[in-house]
Amino acid sequence: MKYKAIIFDFDGTICDTGEGIMKSAKYALDAFGIECDDWRELSFFIGPPLLVTFQEKYNQSPTQADLLVKKYRERYTKIGLYESSLYLGIEKLLKNLKNDGFKLGIASSKPRSFIVELLDKFDISKYFDTVCAVSFKTDCESKQSIISRCLKELDESARDTLVVGDRFYDIDGAVENMADSVGALWGYGTKFEFIEHRAKFIAEKVEDIEAIALGLYENTEKVQGIFNGNIIKIHLDDITLCDGSKGSRECVDHPGGVGVIGINDDDEVLMVRQFRYPYKELVYEIPAGKLDKGEEPIDAGKREFKEECGCIADEYISLGEIYPTPGYTNEIIRLFWAKGLHFDSQNLDDGELLEVCKIKFDRLIDMIMSGEIKDAKTVAAALKLKLIRESK
């Protein structure tokens, strides 16, 4: 189903505030002479109310826990708050969700003033319709209650709302409000935790949230290996769709590749022509190749350009990336524009037979538009570069 509203937890979901929280907790514990672990081991402070954590984890009385919270905030307000960063991809996700028409809210056990300050700092306040959190005087409100308030302020029913969080408190709060929930694995929770507390979905990537909210997500249930080759791996996966129906997907895992479009001083593009066995025909392509394990795309681009064309460039400019066949493979091809060309010698792999040729850029575009050149990476790189050149 497609939802109408999405409620996000803040710490560990929108923003990685862990360092500031854990260091401030250690600061408070040290001030009262309470033995504790290294600050990096205090992740259980992220999510639940501080008063609760100090009492449950360190056997403190409510009065003593309140003093610890005050000491915690002594550091957090001045230093810890700013030891924070947005999770990679969050801003793009929020922008996409608003463009999709969703109402967005925050339900957090963090003091509201802290959240608002960070939202403003990262310039993402504009994406949220409401921020429901706690005050310094009432910071023991349950997650169930905070989510309930958020639902009212968004004016949406629980059945039409998705709750996204990184700890079981978020999942429990959603379940108690009869809303569907997503466990965010990029935060501080675990897959086992989310399964145990009945999260409807578990998201490995920030980008998964949009697919889930739109009712388009496909969750992997089982992976069966079929073939493990030198370059590709093939597996058959059992999946569950957002509506609960079952299916299967045949997938090809690929390490990814690069393509380089290099143009010399005569406005000629360096191309390679080789026999491509799957198509049983000669194919014109820009120099390209697969990534070696752990290799950076830019390094692979330089290597392949030198190996296939015997060419070195003064500058490599990214032209982005493409998904050549998303229906069955996870291959990603990163494209580069090479400028300032110098020629050396080829260094082809064993069994790699190809012809290097030079084609005027305008002629290359004509060959693409006429269908003479069909290679996807070549088409994408050339047309992207054409637009870049025309915009200058």
Side-chain angles (χ1 to χ4, degrees):
M1 65 171 285
K2 179 179 178 179
Y3 298 90
K4 296 180 180 179
I6 306 169
I7 295 175
F8 288 92
D9 173 49
F10 188 77
D11 292 334
T13 303
I14 294 291
C15 192
D16 186 358
T17 55
E19 181 178 347
I21 291 172
M22 291 185 285
K23 284 184 176 179
S24 298
K26 176 123 174 63
Y27 173 83
L29 292 166
D30 287 346
F32 284 83
I34 300 172
E35 186 177 347
C36 67
D37 298 321
D38 180 89
W39 68 266
R40 296 173 185 84
E41 304 299 322
L42 301 179
S43 61
F44 47 78
F45 276 96
I46 304 168
L50 292 169
L51 274 172
V52 173
T53 305
F54 280 123
Q55 290 177 70
E56 291 183 350
K57 294 294 184 179
Y58 293 95
N59 197 30
Q60 299 296 299
S61 68
T63 300
Q64 191 68 8
D66 186 58
L67 293 174
L68 282 159
V69 170
K70 287 182 170 64
K71 181 58 69 172
Y72 165 96
R73 287 183 178 146
E74 182 178 288
R75 181 189 186 278
Y76 190 78
T77 303
K78 297 176 182 178
I79 302 172
L81 178 64
Y82 308 104
E83 296 171 322
S84 305
S85 61
L86 283 184
Y87 283 104
L88 187 65
I90 282 292
E91 185 171 6
K92 182 180 179 182
L93 170 67
L94 297 174
K95 182 178 180 180
N96 288 349
L97 291 173
K98 291 307 290 184
N99 289 338
D100 291 332
F102 292 102
K103 295 180 183 178
L104 303 182
I106 289 176
S108 173
S109 297
K110 194 181 194 73
R112 189 178 188 279
S113 61
F114 287 161
I115 295 173
V116 170
E117 185 167 351
L118 289 176
L119 292 177
D120 289 341
K121 175 188 175 183
F122 296 120
D123 193 28
I124 58 171
S125 300
K126 56 194 172 188
Y127 299 117
F128 292 99
D129 299 287
T130 186
V131 176
C132 294
V134 300
S135 68
F136 292 115
K137 292 182 179 180
T138 57
D139 60 355
C140 264
E141 184 179 4
S142 70
K143 204 57 180 279
Q144 176 189 8
S145 174
I146 299 171
I147 292 173
S148 178
R149 283 198 289 119
C150 200
L151 287 168
K152 290 177 182 176
E153 293 195 20
L154 290 172
D155 193 27
E156 287 294 345
S157 67
R159 69 177 301 275
D160 291 322
T161 302
L162 186 68
V163 176
V164 183
D166 74 308
R167 293 302 312 277
F168 69 87
Y169 306 98
D170 308 304
I171 308 306
D172 287 348
V175 170
E176 288 160 358
N177 278 284
M178 294 186 290
D180 289 342
S181 62
V182 183
L185 284 175
W186 60 85
Y188 290 87
T190 66
K191 188 171 185 179
F192 176 79
E193 179 180 336
F194 298 142
I195 292 172
E196 185 179 28
H197 289 262
R198 295 181 292 161
K200 182 166 183 179
F201 305 100
I202 298 175
E204 294 186 0
K205 303 182 299 181
V206 168
E207 295 81 4
D208 292 342
I209 301 303
E210 184 178 14
I212 293 171
L214 290 169
L216 302 175
Y217 187 67
E218 299 179 356
N219 187 60
T220 305
E221 303 293 347
K222 181 182 177 182
V223 177
Q224 177 186 347
I226 297 174
F227 172 77
N228 190 354
N230 292 327
I231 298 176
I232 64 170
K233 296 179 181 179
I234 303 174
H235 50 97
L236 177 65
D237 297 358
D238 294 334
I239 58 108
T240 300
L241 282 70
C242 279
D243 62 3
S245 60
K246 304 294 183 180
S248 63
R249 297 287 183 264
E250 298 172 1
C251 303
V252 177
D253 288 345
H254 189 283
V258 294
V260 179
I261 182 166
I263 304 181
N264 64 20
D265 293 339
D266 295 323
D267 206 36
E268 296 171 325
V269 180
L270 268 65
M271 301 285 289
V272 297
R273 196 179 186 205
Q274 57 189 317
F275 186 81
R276 286 302 195 181
Y277 185 80
Y279 293 102
K280 300 292 194 297
E281 65 179 68
L282 288 171
V283 178
Y284 281 106
E285 305 171 52
I286 57 174
K290 71 177 182 65
L291 287 169
D292 290 336
K293 186 175 182 180
E295 188 177 28
E296 290 295 323
I298 183 65
D299 295 328
K302 293 177 180 179
R303 173 176 53 76
E304 290 292 342
F305 200 38
K306 170 68 169 60
E307 288 179 357
E308 294 192 358
C309 295
C311 195
I312 300 169
D314 292 335
E315 185 179 8
Y316 290 84
I317 300 171
S318 173
L319 294 176
E321 56 187 36
I322 60 171
Y323 295 172
T325 44
Y328 64 83
T329 179
N330 60 2
E331 180 183 8
I332 301 173
I333 299 178
R334 284 81 173 184
L335 303 174
F336 296 94
W337 170 21
K339 300 174 66 176
L341 308 188
H342 309 278
F343 292 90
D344 197 342
S345 58
Q346 286 179 307
N347 184 25
L348 298 176
D349 294 332
D350 293 340
E352 187 176 24
L353 304 175
L354 55 83
E355 175 187 65
V356 178
C357 53
K358 300 174 183 178
I359 301 175
K360 288 285 188 181
F361 185 76
D362 287 344
R363 171 62 181 149
L364 175 63
I365 298 300
D366 289 340
M367 293 172 73
I368 288 171
M369 298 309 294
S370 69
E372 186 175 353
I373 290 180
K374 308 179 185 71
D375 175 60
K377 63 183 176 294
T378 302
V379 172
L383 294 183
K384 278 191 168 190
L385 186 51
K386 181 176 187 293
L387 288 174
I388 290 173
R389 285 161 54 123
E390 289 175 350
S391 67
K392 293 184 177 181

